[in-house]
Short mmCIF file of all heavy atoms in Angstrom, two decimals:
data_model
loop_
_atom_site.label_atom_id
_atom_site.label_comp_id
_atom_site.label_asym_id
_atom_site.label_seq_id
_atom_site.Cartn_x
_atom_site.Cartn_y
_atom_site.Cartn_z
N MET A 1 -118.09 18.48 30.35
CA MET A 1 -117.08 17.64 30.86
C MET A 1 -117.64 16.71 31.98
O MET A 1 -118.44 17.28 32.87
CB MET A 1 -115.90 18.52 31.41
CG MET A 1 -114.86 17.71 32.14
SD MET A 1 -113.52 18.68 32.80
CE MET A 1 -112.51 18.85 31.38
N PRO A 2 -117.47 15.43 31.99
CA PRO A 2 -118.04 14.65 33.00
C PRO A 2 -117.44 14.98 34.42
O PRO A 2 -116.21 15.34 34.55
CB PRO A 2 -117.63 13.18 32.56
CG PRO A 2 -116.60 13.30 31.62
CD PRO A 2 -116.70 14.77 31.04
N SER A 3 -118.27 14.75 35.42
CA SER A 3 -117.84 14.96 36.78
C SER A 3 -116.90 13.85 37.21
O SER A 3 -117.04 12.73 36.94
CB SER A 3 -119.04 14.99 37.70
OG SER A 3 -118.70 15.05 39.04
N VAL A 4 -115.91 14.33 37.93
CA VAL A 4 -114.89 13.31 38.54
C VAL A 4 -115.31 13.06 39.97
O VAL A 4 -115.54 13.89 40.75
CB VAL A 4 -113.37 13.86 38.46
CG1 VAL A 4 -112.51 12.97 39.14
CG2 VAL A 4 -112.98 14.09 37.03
N PRO A 5 -115.42 11.75 40.35
CA PRO A 5 -115.79 11.51 41.70
C PRO A 5 -114.82 12.13 42.69
O PRO A 5 -113.61 12.21 42.45
CB PRO A 5 -115.78 10.03 41.79
CG PRO A 5 -115.55 9.46 40.43
CD PRO A 5 -115.10 10.55 39.65
N SER A 6 -115.42 12.61 43.83
CA SER A 6 -114.43 13.09 44.96
C SER A 6 -115.09 12.70 46.14
O SER A 6 -116.13 11.96 46.18
CB SER A 6 -114.42 14.61 44.76
OG SER A 6 -115.59 15.24 44.89
N GLY A 7 -114.57 13.11 47.26
CA GLY A 7 -115.06 12.82 48.61
C GLY A 7 -114.07 11.84 49.31
O GLY A 7 -112.98 11.81 49.01
N PRO A 8 -114.58 11.19 50.37
CA PRO A 8 -113.77 10.39 51.22
C PRO A 8 -113.01 9.27 50.39
O PRO A 8 -111.91 8.98 50.76
CB PRO A 8 -114.68 9.82 52.25
CG PRO A 8 -115.92 10.53 52.07
CD PRO A 8 -115.96 11.24 50.77
N SER A 9 -113.47 8.66 49.34
CA SER A 9 -112.87 7.68 48.67
C SER A 9 -111.73 8.20 47.85
O SER A 9 -110.93 7.41 47.38
CB SER A 9 -113.87 6.97 47.66
OG SER A 9 -115.05 6.71 48.37
N PHE A 10 -111.74 9.47 47.48
CA PHE A 10 -110.84 10.13 46.64
C PHE A 10 -110.23 11.32 47.34
O PHE A 10 -110.40 12.43 46.91
CB PHE A 10 -111.43 10.57 45.32
CG PHE A 10 -112.05 9.39 44.59
CD1 PHE A 10 -113.32 8.99 44.74
CD2 PHE A 10 -111.20 8.60 43.64
CE1 PHE A 10 -113.87 7.95 44.06
CE2 PHE A 10 -111.73 7.58 42.97
CZ PHE A 10 -113.03 7.22 43.12
N PRO A 11 -109.44 11.16 48.47
CA PRO A 11 -109.00 12.29 49.27
C PRO A 11 -108.04 13.19 48.42
O PRO A 11 -108.01 14.47 48.62
CB PRO A 11 -108.24 11.65 50.41
CG PRO A 11 -107.94 10.30 50.02
CD PRO A 11 -109.00 9.87 49.05
N VAL A 12 -107.22 12.64 47.52
CA VAL A 12 -106.33 13.44 46.72
C VAL A 12 -107.11 14.39 45.84
O VAL A 12 -106.91 15.64 45.83
CB VAL A 12 -105.42 12.59 45.91
CG1 VAL A 12 -104.61 13.43 44.84
CG2 VAL A 12 -104.47 11.76 46.75
N LEU A 13 -108.13 13.92 45.10
CA LEU A 13 -108.90 14.76 44.27
C LEU A 13 -109.79 15.73 45.15
O LEU A 13 -109.83 16.98 44.68
CB LEU A 13 -109.96 13.90 43.49
CG LEU A 13 -109.31 12.98 42.42
CD1 LEU A 13 -110.45 12.16 41.70
CD2 LEU A 13 -108.56 13.76 41.42
N SER A 14 -110.23 15.48 46.23
CA SER A 14 -110.95 16.39 47.10
C SER A 14 -110.06 17.44 47.56
O SER A 14 -110.47 18.59 47.55
CB SER A 14 -111.51 15.67 48.31
OG SER A 14 -112.52 14.72 47.98
N ALA A 15 -108.86 17.18 47.96
CA ALA A 15 -107.89 18.22 48.48
C ALA A 15 -107.62 19.23 47.30
O ALA A 15 -107.46 20.44 47.56
CB ALA A 15 -106.59 17.56 48.94
N ILE A 16 -107.50 18.69 46.12
CA ILE A 16 -107.05 19.51 44.93
C ILE A 16 -108.30 20.38 44.59
O ILE A 16 -108.23 21.57 44.33
CB ILE A 16 -106.60 18.78 43.76
CG1 ILE A 16 -105.28 18.12 44.23
CG2 ILE A 16 -106.42 19.54 42.66
CD1 ILE A 16 -104.74 17.05 43.24
N GLU A 17 -109.47 19.69 44.37
CA GLU A 17 -110.67 20.33 44.02
C GLU A 17 -111.16 21.52 44.98
O GLU A 17 -111.63 22.53 44.40
CB GLU A 17 -111.82 19.34 43.99
CG GLU A 17 -113.14 19.83 43.35
CD GLU A 17 -114.21 18.66 43.39
OE1 GLU A 17 -114.38 17.95 44.37
OE2 GLU A 17 -114.88 18.68 42.29
N GLU A 18 -110.93 21.41 46.16
CA GLU A 18 -111.25 22.45 47.16
C GLU A 18 -110.42 23.64 46.90
O GLU A 18 -110.89 24.77 47.24
CB GLU A 18 -111.02 21.95 48.57
CG GLU A 18 -111.96 20.88 49.05
CD GLU A 18 -111.58 20.27 50.34
OE1 GLU A 18 -110.54 20.66 51.00
OE2 GLU A 18 -112.25 19.33 50.76
N ARG A 19 -109.28 23.46 46.32
CA ARG A 19 -108.36 24.67 46.14
C ARG A 19 -108.33 25.12 44.71
O ARG A 19 -107.54 26.01 44.36
CB ARG A 19 -106.93 24.17 46.55
CG ARG A 19 -106.92 24.01 48.07
CD ARG A 19 -105.78 23.15 48.49
NE ARG A 19 -105.78 23.06 49.95
CZ ARG A 19 -106.42 22.21 50.59
NH1 ARG A 19 -107.24 21.33 50.01
NH2 ARG A 19 -106.38 22.06 51.99
N LEU A 20 -109.11 24.44 43.82
CA LEU A 20 -109.03 24.82 42.38
C LEU A 20 -109.85 26.08 42.11
O LEU A 20 -111.03 26.17 42.19
CB LEU A 20 -109.60 23.65 41.57
CG LEU A 20 -109.48 23.76 40.07
CD1 LEU A 20 -107.90 23.83 39.64
CD2 LEU A 20 -110.13 22.57 39.38
N ASP A 21 -109.13 27.19 41.75
CA ASP A 21 -109.77 28.52 41.55
C ASP A 21 -109.94 28.70 40.13
O ASP A 21 -110.92 29.49 39.75
CB ASP A 21 -108.89 29.61 42.14
CG ASP A 21 -108.81 29.59 43.62
OD1 ASP A 21 -109.73 29.08 44.27
OD2 ASP A 21 -107.79 30.09 44.17
N HIS A 22 -109.09 28.17 39.24
CA HIS A 22 -109.11 28.53 37.82
C HIS A 22 -109.02 27.20 37.02
O HIS A 22 -108.17 26.34 37.44
CB HIS A 22 -108.11 29.49 37.32
CG HIS A 22 -108.07 30.72 38.07
ND1 HIS A 22 -109.05 31.72 37.91
CD2 HIS A 22 -107.31 31.16 39.13
CE1 HIS A 22 -108.75 32.71 38.76
NE2 HIS A 22 -107.74 32.41 39.49
N PRO A 23 -109.73 26.93 35.94
CA PRO A 23 -109.58 25.82 35.13
C PRO A 23 -108.27 25.79 34.28
O PRO A 23 -107.62 26.87 34.18
CB PRO A 23 -110.80 25.89 34.13
CG PRO A 23 -111.11 27.32 34.11
CD PRO A 23 -110.79 27.90 35.35
N GLY A 24 -107.87 24.68 33.97
CA GLY A 24 -106.58 24.59 33.12
C GLY A 24 -105.41 24.17 33.92
O GLY A 24 -105.50 23.83 35.11
N ALA A 25 -104.35 23.98 33.14
CA ALA A 25 -103.12 23.37 33.78
C ALA A 25 -102.55 24.25 34.83
O ALA A 25 -102.10 23.79 35.95
CB ALA A 25 -102.14 23.12 32.70
N ARG A 26 -102.55 25.50 34.60
CA ARG A 26 -101.98 26.47 35.65
C ARG A 26 -102.75 26.47 36.88
O ARG A 26 -102.19 26.44 38.01
CB ARG A 26 -101.88 27.88 35.04
CG ARG A 26 -101.18 28.82 35.99
CD ARG A 26 -100.84 30.13 35.32
NE ARG A 26 -99.80 29.85 34.29
CZ ARG A 26 -99.26 30.73 33.54
NH1 ARG A 26 -99.70 31.92 33.45
NH2 ARG A 26 -98.30 30.36 32.67
N GLY A 27 -104.10 26.43 36.82
CA GLY A 27 -104.94 26.38 37.97
C GLY A 27 -104.76 25.07 38.71
O GLY A 27 -104.75 25.06 40.00
N LEU A 28 -104.65 24.02 38.00
CA LEU A 28 -104.39 22.74 38.61
C LEU A 28 -103.08 22.71 39.34
O LEU A 28 -103.02 22.24 40.60
CB LEU A 28 -104.44 21.59 37.56
CG LEU A 28 -104.21 20.12 38.02
CD1 LEU A 28 -105.24 19.79 39.17
CD2 LEU A 28 -104.19 19.23 36.94
N ALA A 29 -102.07 23.23 38.66
CA ALA A 29 -100.69 23.19 39.33
C ALA A 29 -100.73 24.12 40.74
O ALA A 29 -100.24 23.65 41.74
CB ALA A 29 -99.68 23.81 38.40
N HIS A 30 -101.42 25.22 40.66
CA HIS A 30 -101.55 26.11 41.80
C HIS A 30 -102.29 25.33 42.88
O HIS A 30 -101.98 25.49 44.09
CB HIS A 30 -102.15 27.37 41.51
CG HIS A 30 -101.21 28.31 40.73
ND1 HIS A 30 -101.01 29.58 41.00
CD2 HIS A 30 -100.46 28.01 39.64
CE1 HIS A 30 -100.16 30.08 40.18
NE2 HIS A 30 -99.77 29.11 39.32
N ALA A 31 -103.38 24.65 42.50
CA ALA A 31 -104.15 23.96 43.49
C ALA A 31 -103.40 22.81 44.18
O ALA A 31 -103.44 22.61 45.43
CB ALA A 31 -105.41 23.26 42.92
N VAL A 32 -102.54 22.09 43.36
CA VAL A 32 -101.60 21.06 44.02
C VAL A 32 -100.67 21.68 44.99
O VAL A 32 -100.46 21.24 46.10
CB VAL A 32 -101.02 20.25 42.91
CG1 VAL A 32 -99.97 19.39 43.55
CG2 VAL A 32 -102.00 19.41 42.07
N VAL A 33 -100.12 22.81 44.62
CA VAL A 33 -99.06 23.46 45.44
C VAL A 33 -99.77 23.94 46.71
O VAL A 33 -99.25 23.77 47.89
CB VAL A 33 -98.50 24.77 44.70
CG1 VAL A 33 -97.66 25.64 45.74
CG2 VAL A 33 -97.48 24.25 43.58
N ARG A 34 -100.99 24.48 46.69
CA ARG A 34 -101.70 24.91 47.81
C ARG A 34 -102.04 23.78 48.73
O ARG A 34 -101.97 23.81 49.97
CB ARG A 34 -102.94 25.69 47.54
CG ARG A 34 -102.66 27.14 47.10
CD ARG A 34 -103.91 27.91 47.05
NE ARG A 34 -104.75 27.55 46.01
CZ ARG A 34 -104.80 27.93 44.71
NH1 ARG A 34 -103.82 28.70 44.36
NH2 ARG A 34 -105.61 27.47 43.85
N ALA A 35 -102.45 22.62 48.20
CA ALA A 35 -102.83 21.42 48.91
C ALA A 35 -101.55 20.86 49.68
O ALA A 35 -101.65 20.52 50.91
CB ALA A 35 -103.32 20.32 48.03
N VAL A 36 -100.38 20.88 49.05
CA VAL A 36 -99.13 20.47 49.76
C VAL A 36 -98.76 21.40 50.85
O VAL A 36 -98.49 21.07 51.96
CB VAL A 36 -98.03 20.28 48.76
CG1 VAL A 36 -96.73 20.08 49.39
CG2 VAL A 36 -98.33 19.18 47.74
N ARG A 37 -98.87 22.79 50.49
CA ARG A 37 -98.49 23.75 51.45
C ARG A 37 -99.48 23.72 52.71
O ARG A 37 -98.99 23.95 53.82
CB ARG A 37 -98.59 25.21 50.82
CG ARG A 37 -98.10 26.29 51.71
CD ARG A 37 -98.03 27.55 51.04
NE ARG A 37 -99.23 27.83 50.17
CZ ARG A 37 -99.25 28.44 49.03
NH1 ARG A 37 -98.15 29.03 48.67
NH2 ARG A 37 -100.31 28.58 48.31
N ASP A 38 -100.78 23.50 52.50
CA ASP A 38 -101.64 23.42 53.58
C ASP A 38 -101.58 22.09 54.39
O ASP A 38 -102.22 21.98 55.40
CB ASP A 38 -103.11 23.55 53.00
CG ASP A 38 -103.37 24.90 52.45
OD1 ASP A 38 -102.58 25.76 52.56
OD2 ASP A 38 -104.50 24.95 51.64
N GLY A 39 -100.84 21.14 53.85
CA GLY A 39 -100.60 19.83 54.61
C GLY A 39 -101.78 18.82 54.21
O GLY A 39 -101.81 17.80 54.83
N ALA A 40 -102.52 19.19 53.29
CA ALA A 40 -103.62 18.27 52.82
C ALA A 40 -103.01 17.12 51.98
O ALA A 40 -103.54 16.02 51.94
CB ALA A 40 -104.70 19.02 52.03
N LEU A 41 -102.02 17.38 51.24
CA LEU A 41 -101.17 16.36 50.46
C LEU A 41 -99.78 16.34 50.94
O LEU A 41 -99.18 17.38 51.18
CB LEU A 41 -101.23 16.63 49.09
CG LEU A 41 -102.69 16.66 48.35
CD1 LEU A 41 -102.46 16.99 46.84
CD2 LEU A 41 -103.28 15.25 48.47
N ALA A 42 -99.21 15.12 51.11
CA ALA A 42 -97.79 15.13 51.46
C ALA A 42 -97.03 15.23 50.15
O ALA A 42 -97.36 14.78 49.03
CB ALA A 42 -97.45 13.64 51.99
N PRO A 43 -95.85 15.88 50.26
CA PRO A 43 -94.84 15.91 49.17
C PRO A 43 -94.66 14.47 48.53
O PRO A 43 -94.39 13.59 49.35
CB PRO A 43 -93.62 16.56 49.65
CG PRO A 43 -94.10 17.36 50.85
CD PRO A 43 -95.18 16.54 51.44
N GLY A 44 -94.73 14.36 47.24
CA GLY A 44 -94.53 13.03 46.63
C GLY A 44 -95.77 12.20 46.44
O GLY A 44 -95.74 11.07 45.98
N THR A 45 -96.92 12.74 46.99
CA THR A 45 -98.14 12.00 46.85
C THR A 45 -98.42 11.78 45.27
O THR A 45 -98.27 12.70 44.53
CB THR A 45 -99.31 12.76 47.41
OG1 THR A 45 -99.12 12.94 48.80
CG2 THR A 45 -100.70 12.00 47.22
N ARG A 46 -98.73 10.55 44.95
CA ARG A 46 -99.10 10.25 43.50
C ARG A 46 -100.45 10.75 43.17
O ARG A 46 -101.38 10.52 43.95
CB ARG A 46 -98.98 8.74 43.29
CG ARG A 46 -97.62 8.17 43.45
CD ARG A 46 -97.52 6.84 43.02
NE ARG A 46 -97.81 6.76 41.61
CZ ARG A 46 -97.12 6.13 40.69
NH1 ARG A 46 -95.97 5.52 41.01
NH2 ARG A 46 -97.43 6.10 39.46
N LEU A 47 -100.52 11.45 42.11
CA LEU A 47 -101.84 12.01 41.63
C LEU A 47 -102.42 11.08 40.62
O LEU A 47 -101.73 10.33 39.84
CB LEU A 47 -101.48 13.39 40.95
CG LEU A 47 -100.87 14.43 41.76
CD1 LEU A 47 -100.69 15.68 40.96
CD2 LEU A 47 -101.72 14.67 43.00
N PRO A 48 -103.75 10.99 40.58
CA PRO A 48 -104.41 10.13 39.60
C PRO A 48 -104.23 10.64 38.21
O PRO A 48 -104.02 11.88 38.06
CB PRO A 48 -105.89 10.19 40.06
CG PRO A 48 -105.99 11.43 40.88
CD PRO A 48 -104.67 11.72 41.41
N PRO A 49 -104.31 9.80 37.25
CA PRO A 49 -104.13 10.36 35.82
C PRO A 49 -105.32 11.17 35.43
O PRO A 49 -106.25 11.11 35.98
CB PRO A 49 -104.02 8.95 35.10
CG PRO A 49 -104.62 7.94 35.92
CD PRO A 49 -104.44 8.40 37.34
#
């Protein structure tokens, strides 16, 4: 799988990637929830496709 750019240019992806413990949809959903709960993402933040 190709690498997705992250870092300062992609703060949404970085916030999620830092919290991603398991691959797949469930792991992604949990990472987004943790990012919102931690204050790294605001509720309603648009996610990249």
